[in-house]
Amino acid sequence: MSLLETKLSIAHIELNKVMTKNGRLREEIEHLLKERCRFKKLLDDQLKLLKAGKKSMLDMIEQSSIAFEHREESQAKLDALNEKSISLKETHTQQMRDLDRLLYTDTERVQFLTIKGQYRMSTDQNSKKEAGGLIRKQDIENLRSIYNTVLLGISPYTEGEEKIDSICEAFKTNEDENFAIFNYVNEVNCEAESLHDAAKVVKKKIEKERALKVERVAQQSEDVRTLGMELAKVQEEIDELEVRKNRVANHLSIVTSQLNGIVSKVQCHSSPFYNLLGDNTCVNLNNVHLFLLVLEKQIMRIMKRIMDREKCLTLEEQLASKDSISKASLRKHKLRLSRKKLITSPIPE
C-alpha cells in the first residue's frame, strides 16, 4: 500500500507540474496573441500614415511642379514687361525731350510776341471795353422796353391790379387752370386716339369677317355645285340600275316560265312538295330554290331509271346469247321486267 501511495503521490506531483507548465504556456500564448493584435493594429496605423504621407508627398510634388511652371511663366512675363518698360521709358524720355524743346521755343516766341504787341493790345483793349459797355447799355435798354411792353400787355387782364404779388398769384392760378385744361385735353386726345385705334382694329376684323364670309359663300356654292353634279351622277346610276333591274326581271320571268315548263314535263306535280306551296304552285323568285332542289332530285331519279333500263337491256342481250337458258325462263324474265314501272317516290319533308 505504501508503494502505491508513493506512486500515486509522485503521479500527482508530475500532474501538477504539467498543469502548472500548461497554465504558464497558455498565459504566454494569450500574452503573445494580445501582443500580436496590438502589433497588427500599430502596423495598420503605420501603413495608413505611410499611405497618407505618400499621397501628401505626391500632391506636394505635383503642386511644386505646377508652381515651377507658373514661376517660369511669370518670369517670362516679367522679362517681357521689363523689356517693354525699358522701351516705353526710352520713348517717354525722347518724347519729354521733344516736348521740352517745343516748350522752350514756344515760351521764347510768346515772350517775343508779348513784348512786340504790348502797345497794340492796350489800345485794342480800351476800344473793346468801350464797345462792350455800349452794347451792355443797349441790351439793358432793350430788355427794359421788352418788360414794359409785356406789362402793358398784361395790364388789361389784371383788372386794375397794381401789386406785383397779386398779379403773380393770379397768373399762377390761371396757369394752373390752363395746365389742368391742357392735361384734360391731352387725356381726351389720348382716349380719342385709343378709340380710333380700336375702331381701326374693329374695322379690320369686320373686313376679315366679310372676306371669310365671301370665301365661305363661295365654298358653299362650290360644294352645292359639286353635290348637284354628284346627285346627277347618282341619279344616272339609279336609272341605269333600274334599266338593268327591268332586264333582269324580264330574264327571270322567262327563266321561271321555262322552269315551269320543265317541271311540268318532268312530272313533279304529283310530289307532296306541292302541299307545302298551297295555292301558289307556279315558280317565282321566292320558291325557285325549292323547285330547283326538287327538279335536281327528280332528274337524278330519271337518270337512275335510265341506267337501270340500260342494264336490263344488256342483261337481255347476254341472256339471249346464251344457249343454255331456256325460253320459258327468258319469257318469265321478260314478264318480270315489263311489270316493273316507273314510280316517282315522294320527297321527304
Side-chain angles (χ1 to χ4, degrees), residues 54-237:
K54 286 182 179 180
K55 187 176 180 181
S56 62
M57 185 173 66
L58 292 173
D59 292 335
M60 290 176 69
I61 291 168
E62 187 176 0
Q63 289 177 2
S64 63
S65 62
I66 293 168
F68 182 75
E69 290 176 358
H70 285 301
R71 178 181 174 279
E72 292 293 331
E73 291 178 359
S74 301
Q75 188 67 33
K77 289 180 181 179
L78 184 62
D79 294 335
L81 290 172
N82 287 326
E83 292 177 358
K84 188 175 181 180
S85 64
I86 291 167
S87 63
L88 290 173
K89 186 176 180 181
E90 290 177 356
T91 54
H92 179 68
T93 53
Q94 186 65 32
Q95 289 176 0
M96 288 299 293
R97 288 173 184 174
D98 295 335
L99 290 172
D100 289 334
R101 194 180 297 111
L102 290 172
L103 181 62
Y104 178 74
T105 55
D106 289 336
T107 52
E108 291 292 332
R109 191 178 296 164
V110 167
Q111 288 177 2
F112 175 73
L113 292 173
T114 51
I115 292 168
K116 187 175 181 180
Q118 187 173 5
Y119 177 72
R120 293 178 182 176
M121 286 177 65
S122 61
T123 56
D124 293 335
Q125 285 177 358
N126 292 325
S127 62
K128 285 180 181 180
K129 285 180 180 179
E130 290 177 358
L134 293 172
I135 290 167
R136 280 196 295 275
K137 288 180 181 179
Q138 188 67 31
D139 291 335
I140 291 167
E141 290 293 333
N142 292 328
L143 187 61
R144 186 182 296 170
S145 63
I146 290 167
Y147 286 160
N148 289 324
T149 54
V150 170
L151 289 173
L152 291 173
I154 292 170
S155 60
Y157 300 100
T158 57
E159 297 178 355
E161 190 69 34
E162 294 181 355
K163 292 182 179 180
I164 301 299
D165 295 332
S166 60
I167 292 169
C168 290
E169 290 294 331
F171 177 75
K172 287 180 180 180
T173 54
N174 292 325
E175 190 67 22
D176 292 334
E177 290 177 358
N178 292 328
F179 186 71
I181 293 167
F182 177 74
N183 289 328
Y184 177 72
V185 171
N186 286 329
E187 290 178 358
V188 171
N189 288 326
C190 291
E191 289 179 359
E193 289 178 357
S194 62
L195 291 172
H196 185 65
D197 294 334
K200 285 183 179 179
V201 173
V202 171
K203 285 181 180 179
K204 288 181 180 179
K205 288 182 179 179
I206 290 168
E207 290 176 356
K208 287 181 181 179
E209 290 295 330
R210 285 178 180 174
L212 289 172
K213 186 177 180 181
V214 171
E215 290 179 358
R216 288 173 184 171
V217 170
Q219 186 67 31
Q220 288 176 359
S221 62
E222 185 68 23
D223 293 337
V224 169
R225 189 171 63 81
T226 53
L227 288 172
M229 293 173 67
E230 290 178 359
L231 181 62
K233 290 180 181 179
V234 171
Q235 191 66 37
E236 290 177 358
E237 291 178 357

Side-chain angles (χ1 to χ4, degrees), residues 1-11:
M1 288 296 291
S2 61
L3 182 61
L4 293 173
E5 288 177 357
T6 53
K7 286 182 179 181
L8 182 61
S9 62
I10 291 167

Side-chain angles (χ1 to χ4, degrees), residues 131 222 274 284 287:
E222 185 68 23
Y274 282 92
N284 53 23
N287 56 11

